[in-house]
Amino acid sequence: FAEDLRVMVQKWRYDDNWSHGFLIPLFSLYFLHQRRDRLAAAERRPCGWGLALIVVSLAGYAASAFVLRMGYPRLLALLGVIFGTVLYLGGWQVIRVAWLPILFLFFALPLPQRTYFLLTFPMRQWASTFSAAVLDAIPGLDAEALGVVIEGWYKGQYFTLNVAQQCAGMRLLMAFLALGVAMAFLSDRPLWHRVVLVLSTLPIALFCNFVRVTVTGVLYVMVDPVFAENEWHTLLGLLMLPVAFVMYWGLAGLLNRLYVDESAPTGGG
């Protein structure tokens, strides 16, 4: 897997959409550290299913390398080999502790370019539609979404704003989804709490990206086009991450109010 790892790290270094990949292995190690007592207490008993998973993963790697000639399945095979190795050497009790840190590495695997485009194109369309609707509601501003392009008039001046791939919100979505999963499973919550929190990351990230595109559009049209370029564009994207976390924490607080631990003492005599 040496060449695949090298290509993946290069993607982390030079593609901003996957720059969070450097943090994912560190989070996985932190998860293991948090569960170190359970891991130490787990009985180690080799499991043949782990060896079977290793063989299947390596067979998938060979098919991907020599038949399909695709890179992404080879990364999935790497994940399968790691999971299979832990299961084979440690057994089911160990894998019950280590499954999340291992599968969490999935968030570090860059998606194929074609898949990335298929995911981001509708996200760009949604963002342009939402932004155009808000802009059109501003007095003196007429805006309309045409696919991924917003065009209109302001003070007699025609403008056009293209919602590029960088504005699709994929970077915010992947980073926030990874951190949302981490926060949901690190906290001591009922399972349904964790499911709700993980599922909430998608609409929260999409909404925050809609807000970013809208704010960018307002600044671009009414202030200065420079706000849609380079450093300003990146800064607006980064500012949306704390907004997403505030919404996430608000939802977590609401779930805490809805859930009452029946095993807790009531204070009666």
Side-chain angles (χ1 to χ4, degrees), residues 175-232:
F176 183 59
L177 180 59
L179 293 177
V181 169
M183 293 169 63
F185 280 89
L186 280 176
S187 59
D188 185 16
R189 293 177 175 275
L191 178 61
W192 72 273
H193 273 215
R194 298 178 181 183
V195 172
V196 170
L197 288 172
V198 171
L199 293 179
S200 72
T201 57
L202 177 59
I204 289 175
L206 290 177
F207 174 77
C208 288
N209 189 61
F210 294 165
V211 173
R212 179 182 71 154
V213 174
T214 302
V215 172
T216 300
V218 171
L219 294 175
Y220 176 86
V221 174
M222 305 184 69
V223 182
D224 194 318
V226 72
F227 287 103
E229 301 173 358
N230 301 328
E231 292 83 4
W232 287 105

Side-chain angles (χ1 to χ4, degrees), residues 35-241:
R35 301 178 173 194
R36 62 191 180 278
D37 294 335
R38 292 175 54 192
L39 190 61
E43 180 184 0
R44 289 159 177 77
R45 180 177 297 176
C47 176
W49 287 107
L51 182 59
L53 180 57
I54 294 173
V55 172
V56 170
S57 298
L58 292 178
Y61 181 93
S64 174
F66 302 111
V67 180
L68 301 176
R69 298 190 179 279
M70 297 172 61
Y72 188 68
R74 298 203 297 267
L75 295 178
L76 294 178
L78 170 62
L79 206 59
V81 168
I82 295 174
F83 195 99
T85 301
V86 175
L87 178 58
Y88 175 58
L89 297 177
W92 290 110
Q93 288 195 21
V94 172
I95 208 66
R96 286 192 187 99
V97 179
W99 70 270
L100 176 62
I102 296 172
L103 296 185
F104 191 75
L105 295 172
F106 170 80
F107 292 111
L109 309 183
L111 293 172
Q113 192 62 32
R114 178 178 175 81
T115 304
Y116 182 82
F117 177 79
L118 291 175
L119 289 174
T120 56
F121 188 75
M123 293 167 65
R124 292 163 63 192
Q125 289 182 311
W126 301 336
S128 62
T129 301
F130 180 92
S131 180
V134 175
L135 291 173
D136 193 59
I138 298 176
L141 201 158
D142 183 22
E144 181 182 7
L146 300 175
V148 297
V149 176
I150 302 172
E151 60 179 33
W153 295 84
Y154 179 66
K155 293 184 178 180
Q157 297 291 324
Y158 174 78
F159 69 87
T160 178
L161 179 62
N162 183 17
V163 180
Q165 278 196 5
Q166 293 83 354
C167 298
M170 194 66 176
R171 180 184 184 184
L172 173 66
L173 175 60
M174 292 302 295
F176 183 59
L177 180 59
L179 293 177
V181 169
M183 293 169 63
F185 280 89
L186 280 176
S187 59
D188 185 16
R189 293 177 175 275
L191 178 61
W192 72 273
H193 273 215
R194 298 178 181 183
V195 172
V196 170
L197 288 172
V198 171
L199 293 179
S200 72
T201 57
L202 177 59
I204 289 175
L206 290 177
F207 174 77
C208 288
N209 189 61
F210 294 165
V211 173
R212 179 182 71 154
V213 174
T214 302
V215 172
T216 300
V218 171
L219 294 175
Y220 176 86
V221 174
M222 305 184 69
V223 182
D224 194 318
V226 72
F227 287 103
E229 301 173 358
N230 301 328
E231 292 83 4
W232 287 105
H233 181 268
T234 302
L235 178 61
L236 284 173
L238 293 175
L239 289 176
M240 288 300 102
L241 196 57

Side-chain angles (χ1 to χ4, degrees), residues 12-23:
W12 295 349
R13 290 182 61 188
Y14 298 111
D15 189 339
D16 289 342
N17 292 303
W18 300 103
S19 57
H20 64 276
F22 286 105
L23 298 176

